[in-house]
């Protein structure tokens, strides 16, 4: 695999610098299981982390598309008519490692029910790091390779995955139906998916 070329004196394009700053802030806010909220607001903070959206209030998901970690081209539109679980992760993120087995288990249990999983790998220096993560945790669903966070920016103006890890669930009509801004347990993930399975 090719690594990022050295070039300490190279000038960073303005757009790339903005993306990097945005992701740095996003990472500071995410990739943690801790909350900075005072104890009295802990319940409200938990509510903000897990959001289920009524059908009448759902927004269309963005047109995600790009190259996977294994070099294939893929698009969210390829899954139209399915429930799609989109998980944002990085191999460097400890909470991402904690939730990975739960994601794979629920993927295996629900794929025959019309549920698809799609990862967005972000801020990994090389594909090798991300692929090693997938091998370690037995992840078999695809992930978009998004080191600069461009895929995440497509969610602007919608219910966005604004932390790492984050998970959004897309309904069969291509709308954002649920979001989590935390590492998920198997039970929490199923609670996000089960109502959509009942919608038919």
């Amino acid at each position: 695999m090719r690594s990022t070329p050295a070039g300490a004196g190279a000038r960073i394009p303005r757009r790339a610098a903005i993306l990097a700053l945005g992701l740095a802030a996003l990472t500071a806010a995410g990739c943690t299981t801790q909350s900075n909220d005072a104890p009295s607001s802990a319940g409200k903070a938990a509510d903000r982390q897990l959001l289920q959206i009524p059908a009448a209030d759902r927004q269309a998901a963005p047109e995600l598309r790009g190259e996977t970690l294994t070099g294939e081209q893929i698009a969210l539109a390829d899954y139209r008519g399915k429930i799609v679980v989109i998980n944002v992760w990085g191999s460097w993120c400890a909470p991402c490692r904690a939730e990975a087995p739960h994601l794979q288990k629920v993927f295996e249990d629900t794929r025959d029910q019309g549920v698809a999983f799609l990862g967005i790998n972000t801020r990994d220096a090389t594909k090798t790091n991300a692929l090693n993560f997938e091998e370690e945790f037995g992840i078999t669903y695809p992930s978009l390779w998004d080191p600069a966070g461009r895929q995440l920016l497509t969610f602007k103006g919608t219910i966005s995955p604004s932390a790492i890890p984050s998970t959004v669930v897309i309904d069969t009509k291509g709308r954002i139906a649920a979001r989590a801004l935390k590492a998920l347990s198997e039970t929490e993930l199923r609670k996000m998916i089960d109502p959509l399975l009942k919608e038919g």
Side-chain angles (χ1 to χ4, degrees):
M1 298 288 177
R2 277 193 262 178
S3 59
T4 304
R11 184 176 178 181
I12 301 174
R14 179 178 174 82
R15 180 171 176 78
I18 292 171
L19 285 169
L21 286 171
L23 273 171
L26 183 152
T27 306
C31 201
T32 178
T33 56
Q34 302 297 319
S35 171
N36 294 325
D37 293 287
S40 61
S41 63
K44 292 181 180 178
D47 289 343
R48 289 195 296 270
Q49 288 180 317
L50 290 169
L51 177 66
Q52 205 85 26
I53 304 165
D57 298 330
R58 293 173 191 167
Q59 298 171 283
E63 293 296 326
L64 295 175
R65 63 177 62 251
E67 182 180 308
T68 69
L69 290 171
T70 53
E72 300 159 344
Q73 292 297 314
I74 201 168
L76 180 57
D78 298 338
Y79 299 103
R80 186 56 61 92
K82 290 179 175 286
I83 296 166
V84 186
V85 178
I86 300 173
N87 177 253
V88 181
W89 63 278
S91 68
W92 43 269
C93 168
C96 299
R97 302 177 71 82
E99 73 173 356
H102 305 308
L103 291 163
Q104 177 63 25
K105 176 67 164 58
V106 177
F107 164 65
E108 292 173 354
D109 289 349
T110 60
R111 57 185 168 184
D112 290 338
Q113 300 175 58
V115 180
F117 276 56
L118 177 63
I120 300 177
N121 170 256
T122 192
R123 296 205 70 208
D124 265 309
T126 67
K127 282 186 178 181
T128 300
N129 293 343
L131 290 167
N132 286 343
F133 176 100
E134 290 193 330
E135 182 177 0
E136 179 180 353
F137 292 103
I139 303 299
T140 57
Y141 54 84
S143 281
L144 289 164
W145 166 236
D146 188 33
R150 290 182 174 84
Q151 299 288 352
L152 303 186
L153 292 180
T154 66
F155 282 90
K156 184 177 180 180
T158 70
I159 304 297
S160 65
S162 55
I164 303 172
S166 288
T167 300
V168 293
V169 182
I170 312 301
D171 68 15
T172 57
K173 296 180 180 178
R175 303 172 302 178
I176 300 171
R179 180 192 64 182
L181 300 178
K182 54 171 283 184
L184 293 170
S185 67
E186 183 179 334
T187 298
E188 289 170 327
L189 182 53
R190 290 183 186 277
K191 284 182 178 179
M192 295 172 72
I193 297 171
D194 286 349
L196 302 182
L197 289 171
K198 294 174 183 176
E199 287 179 5

